[in-house]
Structure formats: structure tokens, C-alpha cells
Amino acid sequence: MWDAVSWGYWGIFWLMVLENVVPPIPSEAIMSVAGIAVARGQMEFVLVVLAGTTGTVVGNLFWWEIGRRLGYERLKPIVDRWGRWLTVDWHEIERLKAYFDKWGGPTVLVFRFMPVGRTIISVPAGLMHMKFWRFVGYTAVGSGIWNLLLVSAGYALGATIKDIEHWVAPAIYVTVAGIVLVYLWRVITWKPKG
């Protein structure tokens, strides 16, 4: 797959940016493999976590900025036209806005621990105009904890790259399949309110 040592801390940073912009490799694999390099004495634990967390924050800022530029106000014609395929109506968007105004920060923090949600949550955070430093703070804390756990797991297990992929890949496939099934069910059963 890749050699964490030869790519170095910059490699971890850029892989984590890419993982959040266009997920080619799951963070579970990137950070766990880096944890193995730490266990072998080839990298420093704190620097690995910092590189991965910084890359995660930068990658998520890409989607936050897209959401911010689009803006909550511009969603109405999109929702009116494509609501069925988005499986939302404007009433739900207004409820989401009220929720985000109150609980947006903790929601971003919690979503950092979810396989697909950790990238997707950046879009509504931007759409709902979550403040830059608030978004960065909650993203950094949640991502830092997640990356710390992944690097620790790689360090503790001392597993091979193949062993990590053996467990991580099926979990990702099941999660993605579940999301697709829930989406299809919502499209089929969706009815606009009012």
C-alpha cells in the first residue's frame, strides 16, 4: 500500500488531506500504518498525530468552504427542485439550521469518529455559517482524539499492513453499503411535508 517512513510526516499530512477531500485511502489505514512505524522506532508518536490531525483539518476546510460559499440561503431553490433526491424539504433545512446554531460544535466533534460522516459534516457546518475558528477547534479536537486512537492501535497491535486492511476494509464496505441502502429507502419513501 504505502511506506509511512519513506513518505514521512508530510506524506501523512497530504494523505490525510486527500482522505478528507477525495477519500482514496481511509484514515484508519493511514494512521494505523503510521502507528506501526512508531512502534518500530521509525517515526515519532506526537509528530505523527500532529501531521495527521493537521491534514484532517485542512482537508475538512475544503468542504466547509464549499458549504460556506454556497450558503444556507441559496439552498431553497435547490431543495425545492431536487428535494426528493436529497430526501429533504425546506422545513427540514430550517430545523437543521436551528439545530446547528445550538449544537453545531458538539455535532462536528462527534461526527469526527464516524467513517463517512467525518467528512460530510463539514458541508452543513459551512452551509450553516459555523464560525471558522469554532469549526477548526471542534474539528481539531475530534480528529486529534481519533488519530491518537488509530496511531495507538497501530502501535499496540504491531500488525502488518495486510492485517489492518483485513479488518478495516470490510468495515468500510459495510458502512458504505448501509448508507446507500438507507438513502435508497429514503428516496423511495420520501414525501414532502405540507
Side-chain angles (χ1 to χ4, degrees), residues 12-154:
I12 291 169
F13 168 82
W14 285 112
L15 282 170
M16 292 300 283
V17 169
L18 284 173
E19 188 265 339
N20 286 282
V21 174
V22 199
I25 303 168
S27 62
E28 291 85 354
I30 298 165
M31 299 309 289
S32 297
V33 171
I36 293 169
V38 171
R40 294 176 181 164
Q42 298 167 321
M43 300 184 94
E44 294 295 322
F45 190 97
V46 172
L47 294 177
V48 166
V49 173
L50 283 174
T53 301
T54 306
T56 301
V57 171
V58 170
N60 278 284
L61 279 172
F62 172 83
W63 291 111
W64 174 84
E65 181 64 17
I66 286 175
R68 190 188 70 78
R69 286 180 185 236
L70 177 60
Y72 160 74
E73 302 80 10
R74 291 187 190 164
L75 278 181
K76 187 148 184 18
I78 296 169
V79 170
D80 288 345
R81 181 167 183 183
W82 301 103
R84 175 176 219 37
W85 300 107
L86 298 171
T87 68
V88 294
D89 58 26
W90 189 245
H91 173 72
E92 290 170 308
I93 297 294
E94 288 177 327
R95 283 180 41 211
L96 179 63
K97 171 77 170 120
Y99 173 84
F100 241 88
D101 288 344
K102 186 174 184 180
W103 299 104
T107 301
V108 167
L109 180 74
V110 169
F111 266 68
R112 293 297 161 214
F113 301 94
M114 298 180 184
V116 178
R118 62 177 160 257
T119 296
I120 292 173
I121 194 64
S122 301
V123 176
L127 283 169
M128 303 306 163
H129 303 293
M130 180 182 274
K131 299 289 185 199
F132 175 83
W133 287 113
R134 189 167 187 240
F135 177 76
V136 167
Y138 278 104
T139 298
V141 169
S143 301
I145 294 168
W146 180 242
N147 289 331
L148 180 70
L149 292 171
L150 293 176
V151 174
S152 297

